Amino acid sequence: SDVGSQEERVVTEEEWLQKWEMGNIGFHKEQVHPLLQKYLDVLLNGRNGLRIFFPLCGKAVEMKWLADMGHSVVGVEVSEQAVKEFFSEHSLPYCEEPVPEISGAKMFQSTSGNISLYCCSIYDLSSSIVGKFHGVWDRGALVAVNPRDRQRYASLMINLVEKNSSYLLVTVSYDPNKHKGPPFYVPESEIKSLFG
Ligand code: SAH
């Protein structure tokens, strides 16, 4: 498990925006992730009306799926195109407003109020802006974070969750010497050191 080959690799926000513009979004899936279905009970733990956070959300269809169950979903995504495609592909009316605490950021909210997507970098968020969450769905998020930013990302995530929260994390197991990522290879030992 020599992860040295990926440690220095950086994908810039500009490159992510370009992926969206080019339609180079193989990570996006039209069906609810089978692991979310499998572990839904772990995420919800018998609770209703949870606040669920989607870091680096893209236009993940699971946001609509959980909102339809009565939960309140908050996502963050740097690509405005992704955010707009989410609402239009689900035919959800939304409104758009600036986020006073973050210069240049916008918040897109479904008219029904239960889905709020922040269009900015995740590193601009804090619990004073978005509050705290009962659950997190982290798929294509930690594994998309540049390796050098992982510690900062994990500290922020820990700060954004309530005490009795559930954090579902999907990682990808492969030989990091053969692919440059993302998704990056995040070994289990590193997950333990990041999240304890
Ligand atoms: N979780 C989604 C998308 C995964 S791809 C899914 O399951 O489909 C990673 C996403 O993170 C991309 O849409 C990219 O535009 C976004 N992204 C990358 N860096 C970001 C950052 N610093 N802040 C917010 N979003 C970011």
Side-chain angles (χ1 to χ4, degrees), residues 122-123 125-127 132 142 145 149-161 167 193-196:
I122 188 165
Y123 305 112
L125 294 185
S126 65
S127 57
K132 293 204 184 234
L142 174 65
V145 163
D149 297 324
R150 274 180 199 155
Q151 184 60 63
R152 183 180 179 199
Y153 174 86
S155 304
L156 171 62
M157 295 306 293
I158 290 165
N159 192 252
L160 290 182
V161 295
Y167 192 120
S193 69
L194 288 170
F195 293 99

Side-chain angles (χ1 to χ4, degrees), residues 142 169 171 186-196:
L142 174 65
L169 170 67
T171 62
V186 189
E188 186 135 8
S189 58
E190 186 162 354
I191 294 164
K192 288 201 173 113
S193 69
L194 288 170
F195 293 99

Side-chain angles (χ1 to χ4, degrees), residues 13 16 20 27-28 55-58 60 76-79 120-123 139-140 144:
E13 288 181 15
W16 282 109
W20 279 99
F27 51 80
H28 177 71
L56 282 63
C57 62
V76 61
E77 167 56 53
V78 79
S79 163
C120 59
S121 170
I122 188 165
Y123 305 112
R139 181 267 170 185

